[in-house]
Amino acid sequence: MTGRPAAAVVGATLTLLACSGGREAPDSQRGGEALLRRPCGDLLKPADAAASPPSDVPVQGVTWYDRRTQGSTAYHFGHLPGEQVGAARDAVIAGLQSAGYTASGTAERGNAGADGQFAGRHAGTVELTPYCKGRLRLRLQLDR
């Protein structure tokens, strides 16, 4: 497009953006909110004792359902009650800190995801993302 048609498209786009008032959430955040509205149904996997992290990594209230390894890194997957990824991440990190771990950084992408790093007897990361209505998914990465 060149000339007037391109200018009209740009003008219309700017008008739409101005009318939205900038209140629209980014795509990634809208996706997270949509996941929290979908029913859990068959999504919730049952607990698997073999998926639990070591006992000296205290993470409470999680249904651990899968564990995978890649080299010396173990990944533990679980789901827990909640809808606010940042608050859930903070609670997980606080539990680790009360057990002697140190937190070394956190990040948050609206309510689409939140992560944090920790170190101590184990070093690793936690990542929380929306899963389904009233539930969040937790990925715990432990480096050995």
Side-chain angles (χ1 to χ4, degrees):
M1 281 189 273
T2 60
R4 289 185 171 260
V9 170
V10 170
T13 302
L14 291 175
T15 301
L16 288 172
L17 289 173
C19 290
S20 74
R23 290 184 300 256
E24 194 166 327
D27 287 342
S28 62
Q29 188 172 346
R30 281 195 309 267
E33 295 301 324
L35 290 174
L36 289 171
R37 286 191 302 271
R38 72 179 175 171
C40 292
D42 294 337
L43 293 173
L44 296 180
K45 297 176 182 174
D48 179 353
S52 297
S55 61
D56 60 353
V57 181
V59 181
Q60 304 299 316
V62 177
T63 300
W64 298 105
Y65 62 83
D66 193 17
R67 179 180 182 274
R68 299 179 188 163
T69 59
Q70 183 174 2
S72 63
T73 303
Y75 298 91
H76 303 266
F77 298 91
H79 53 83
L80 66 156
E83 293 196 350
Q84 298 299 315
V85 295
R89 183 254 345 260
D90 293 346
V92 170
I93 294 292
L96 292 168
Q97 287 176 314
S98 69
Y101 287 88
T102 58
S104 56
T106 60
E108 197 168 326
R109 299 167 301 286
N111 203 37
D115 15 67
Q117 299 174 351
F118 62 91
R121 291 180 293 280
H122 302 272
T125 62
V126 297
E127 177 186 50
L128 286 111
T129 54
Y131 195 49
C132 59
K133 188 173 181 76
R135 303 295 290 185
L136 300 172
R137 177 182 169 267
L138 170 63
R139 180 194 51 88
L140 173 69
Q141 174 186 327
L142 296 176
D143 301 319
R144 296 182 188 175

